[in-house]
Amino acid sequence: MSSKGDALKEKIILETESQVAILGERGANTRVILEKVGTANSGAVQYHFGSKNALVEAVWAYRSKVVNEYCAAYMAAMKSSVANQELSLSHLVSAVLAPHAYVIRHALPESYYAAFVCKNGGFAPGASERDVDYPWYGPLHDCWQAIDERLAASLPESILQQRRRAALHYTGNAWLMIEQRCCELARRFPSETQLVVSQLQDFVIRLSNCVSASLLREDFTPLSANIAESLERAAEALGEPDWFIGSAGDYGH
């Protein structure tokens, strides 16, 4: 694929992300998306992605590879700073939430990632078989599995499901609010990058503690202050994200 072709595919992916975030998948119109990216080729979606559904999956793939790379880097940074590498539930929850902050950080000043995730039920584990479709989906999948095992060992199934639903609903709404706030800050103070980064890091820590406390009230261990260092160490290890510009036929490569 030529760099010109990749550039067009990336524009289509990003415009689709914003359209789905605002209008939902049903409301997003491929004709409008192509008009927005400035191409007169009405068959560009079919040519590059195969279908509208595959295009929406391409948005997931575009972000998902980076999300999992950051998740793995963050887990490694946390384990190196925690005694005996014993991670609490709060650590695991933060490992699921922290990649969202990393993506938003690198999508500013106009980020639609959290809204896209919420519109597609992405905060709920098992929403799709993406861990099978994408070989790089392992780190996030492993975190969800570890969270489920930790909760199942402590809570009856009925209580677990009730608390989990409430936590997911709260988490989605909270991410929408912080994404909007960070977009506003990035637009108003374009040179104050660290201000936005600090907001995102603080939010990850506070939200992780809040979600963990609501899930496992009887055995809640708050995150320590050095988690902020782990967040930044993981971001420094990855640097600028290497976004995945794939098509319907090459998610698994």
Side-chain angles (χ1 to χ4, degrees), residues 43-75:
V45 169
Q46 179 70 28
Y47 176 76
H48 288 297
F49 303 99
S51 67
K52 180 182 173 181
N53 287 341
L55 171 56
V56 174
E57 280 295 308
V59 179
W60 281 112
Y62 180 82
R63 300 297 193 193
S64 183
K65 186 171 185 291
V66 166
V67 162
N68 282 276
E69 287 171 348
Y70 181 87
C71 181
Y74 177 59
M75 287 286 285

Side-chain angles (χ1 to χ4, degrees), residues 74 77-83 86-92 94 201-210 212 220-233:
Y74 177 59
M78 280 195 298
K79 286 179 178 178
S80 69
S81 62
V82 174
E86 287 292 331
L87 300 182
S88 68
L89 179 73
S90 299
H91 286 114
L92 295 170
S94 72
Q201 290 182 344
D202 180 63
F203 180 71
V204 168
I205 295 169
R206 288 188 292 109
L207 184 60
S208 298
N209 281 332
C210 182
S212 300
F220 166 57
T221 304
L223 294 169
S224 59
N226 65 2
I227 288 300
E229 296 177 13
S230 296
L231 287 163
E232 195 55 33
R233 281 169 58 197

Side-chain angles (χ1 to χ4, degrees), residues 158-251:
S158 58
I159 294 178
L160 188 157
Q161 294 303 326
Q162 183 181 21
R163 291 186 186 178
R164 188 197 227 188
R165 283 193 297 271
L168 290 169
H169 178 73
Y170 170 75
T171 301
N173 288 336
W175 269 115
L176 285 175
M177 288 189 290
I178 194 63
E179 181 176 61
Q180 290 168 1
R181 174 171 172 74
C182 287
C183 286
E184 291 172 4
L185 284 173
R187 287 192 294 265
R188 289 177 61 192
F189 308 104
S191 62
E192 299 293 331
T193 305
Q194 193 54 46
L195 174 65
V196 180
V197 171
S198 297
Q199 288 268 323
L200 284 166
Q201 290 182 344
D202 180 63
F203 180 71
V204 168
I205 295 169
R206 288 188 292 109
L207 184 60
S208 298
N209 281 332
C210 182
V211 170
S212 300
S214 66
L215 285 171
L216 201 57
R217 298 164 196 168
E218 297 82 2
D219 187 25
F220 166 57
T221 304
L223 294 169
S224 59
N226 65 2
I227 288 300
E229 296 177 13
S230 296
L231 287 163
E232 195 55 33
R233 281 169 58 197
E236 289 174 358
L238 291 187
E240 289 292 319
D242 183 18
W243 305 111
F244 177 73
I245 308 172
S247 65
D250 60 9
Y251 289 155

Side-chain angles (χ1 to χ4, degrees), residues 96 123-125 140-149 164 168:
V96 171
F123 279 107
L140 206 61
H141 176 270
D142 291 345
C143 283
W144 275 121
Q145 187 173 30
I147 290 170
D148 280 346
E149 290 173 357
R164 188 197 227 188
L168 290 169

